[in-house]
Amino acid sequence: MASSSRGALPRIVIYHQTIHDPNGRHISILPLISQPGVAVTHIIVAALHINDDPNGLTLNDHAPADPRYINLWAELRIAQASGVKVLGMLGGAAKGSYTRLDQDHSSFEAYYAPVYNVIKERGLDGIDLDIEEAMSLGGVIRLIDRVRSDFGPDFLITLAPVAAALLDVRRNLSGFDYEALEVMRGSQIAWYNTQFYCGWGDASTPIMYEMIVARGWAPEKVVIGLVTTAENGAGFVPWELLRANLTLLNFQFSRFGGVMGWEYFNSLPGGKDKPWEWAQRMTSLLRPGDAAGLGEPFATESTRTAGAETTDMSKTLSLGVQVADPDLGTSADVPVPADFDYFSDFSAGTDD
């Protein structure tokens, strides 16, 4: 259902990577705009990968122009016409894309060209930089500057750090310091799709989000990333608990950034039969004005699942705001979680 307030906070963002079922049938995202009480603001199609051949960019395992994606691109156009912004996710757990972009000028130009082309050809509204490999701060700044120069001031640039990286540069998959990046290029970054799962964050309580804001991050720029089912990664939070936490944060921060879900095709509570219900429930909880007639948030199907704001990051950092660590001096450092792999679209080599 199209909404006149799609761009308003809090955002409801959903990633879409598993595009076909095991039998090769297309998984439609049209219910996200046709079902009542759904106000998804952004869809991020995943994942674009830069490969050894500069001209061999792929969407998961196939070229973006492969016929298997005809329905996907057509539906995303419909979503855009309905007021939903569509971004492309670059990178993810399949490493290599950013290593190739983080080289000398000529190599950067060669590997950036197909990214530019797919954005133009598909009319994307933005790009999500999911950097899960070491990249230099200079390298990511060069990429952001180039994208902004090529696509103008209204083009959305987002990043997808793990939540721990916003608190401690050592707990980081990307290599560079996100606080330094925010100080240097925060004006060019729309928001952060922050991963509160897979051992890198905890969405079962509001504490970690509160700590991130207390450190100086503007709440409107921090979107809480969730796995939409335990099948998509560790750290799934049961609905009733999630409901309480998000209600509190939405009340506590008048410019709460919103939520993102990884990923669409099997989202609970509806699962593979009705994956849009995750977005429907989030709409009812966070954007009740866009969910007229849906009823009390999470009031049904709950048994189907287991179990002062800051707006200027650079000023806050310059004041040296510190985050209290209740375990400081009493225990060893929290171990860094082991690498993990996503397997989506039911084909080998496809990763977030």
Side-chain angles (χ1 to χ4, degrees):
M1 179 173 66
S3 167
S4 61
S5 58
R6 292 279 191 182
L9 296 173
R11 305 175 190 89
I12 298 176
V13 182
I14 194 153
Y15 282 83
H16 182 40
Q17 180 176 43
T18 302
I19 298 164
H20 303 92
D21 70 14
N23 296 316
R25 291 188 295 263
H26 173 72
I27 296 172
S28 176
I29 53 91
L30 291 182
L32 290 173
I33 59 175
S34 64
Q35 287 293 319
V38 179
V40 166
T41 59
H42 302 82
I43 296 173
I44 303 179
V45 61
L48 296 169
H49 299 301
I50 298 173
N51 299 298
D52 284 336
D53 178 0
N55 297 314
L57 182 136
T58 55
L59 173 59
N60 299 323
D61 295 329
H62 300 84
D66 190 282
R68 68 174 46 233
Y69 297 133
I70 288 175
N71 289 338
L72 168 71
W73 296 121
E75 290 189 353
L76 290 174
R77 288 288 194 180
I78 295 170
Q80 289 174 311
S82 300
V84 179
K85 298 295 186 181
V86 174
L87 294 79
M89 189 195 95
L90 176 65
K95 297 175 175 59
S97 294
Y98 293 99
T99 299
R100 295 179 177 102
L101 288 170
D102 197 18
Q103 299 184 58
D104 59 61
H105 176 74
S106 61
S107 295
F108 174 83
E109 291 296 327
Y111 286 114
Y112 172 76
V115 178
Y116 172 89
N117 290 338
V118 75
I119 292 171
K120 292 289 286 186
E121 290 167 0
R122 302 302 167 183
L124 298 179
D125 300 302
I127 188 167
D128 180 57
L129 306 178
D130 188 354
I131 305 171
E132 301 189 18
E133 58 186 303
M135 189 178 196
S136 68
L137 180 61
V140 69
I141 287 175
R142 176 175 63 177
L143 177 58
I144 290 171
D145 287 350
R146 182 59 176 273
V147 169
R148 178 62 66 221
S149 175
D150 285 343
F151 296 103
D154 296 329
F155 189 77
L156 297 171
I157 300 173
T158 64
L159 284 90
V162 294
L166 301 190
L167 293 172
D168 184 347
V169 67
R170 298 170 299 175
R171 308 292 189 251
N172 192 343
L173 290 174
S174 308
F176 56 83
D177 185 337
Y178 277 92
E179 290 183 350
L181 178 64
E182 177 66 9
V183 170
M184 298 180 73
R185 289 297 186 274
S187 62
Q188 305 303 318
I189 298 168
W191 71 85
Y192 296 88
N193 293 302
T194 312
Q195 300 180 49
F196 281 75
Y197 49 82
C198 287
W200 296 102
D202 182 6
S204 67
T205 79
I207 294 173
M208 194 167 189
Y209 189 92
E210 292 168 340
M211 290 175 65
I212 289 171
V213 174
R215 190 168 179 86
W217 293 93
E220 63 265 29
K221 294 192 72 171
V222 182
V223 171
I224 294 182
L226 307 164
V227 284
T228 57
T229 167
E231 295 177 6
N232 293 345
F236 175 73
V237 181
W239 285 110
E240 293 303 327
L241 181 57
L242 188 62
R243 174 190 182 183
N245 295 335
L246 294 179
T247 298
L248 175 62
L249 291 173
N250 197 29
F251 174 80
Q252 185 176 1
F253 301 107
S254 62
R255 294 188 59 77
F256 174 53
V259 296
M260 73 81 162
W262 179 270
E263 60 172 312
Y264 170 67
F265 83 105
N266 59 350
S267 303
L268 294 177
K272 295 175 183 177
D273 292 334
K274 299 179 179 180
W276 61 86
E277 288 188 351
W278 183 89
Q280 193 177 59
R281 300 302 182 191
M282 288 297 173
T283 300
S284 181
L285 180 64
L286 299 177
R287 299 168 64 99
D290 292 320
L294 187 61
E296 180 68 14
F298 306 110
T300 62
E301 300 178 325
S302 61
T303 60
R304 291 175 58 182
T305 63
E309 300 183 30
T310 304
T311 58
D312 190 331
M313 179 67 172
S314 59
K315 290 180 181 178
T316 304
L317 289 176
S318 69
L319 294 174
V321 174
Q322 300 296 312
V323 177
D325 183 354
D327 295 322
L328 190 62
T330 62
S331 64
D333 286 345
V334 176
V336 177
D339 288 342
F340 57 90
D341 296 318
Y342 294 112
F343 296 96
S344 296
D345 215 13
F346 305 98
S347 57
T350 298
D351 300 281
D352 166 15

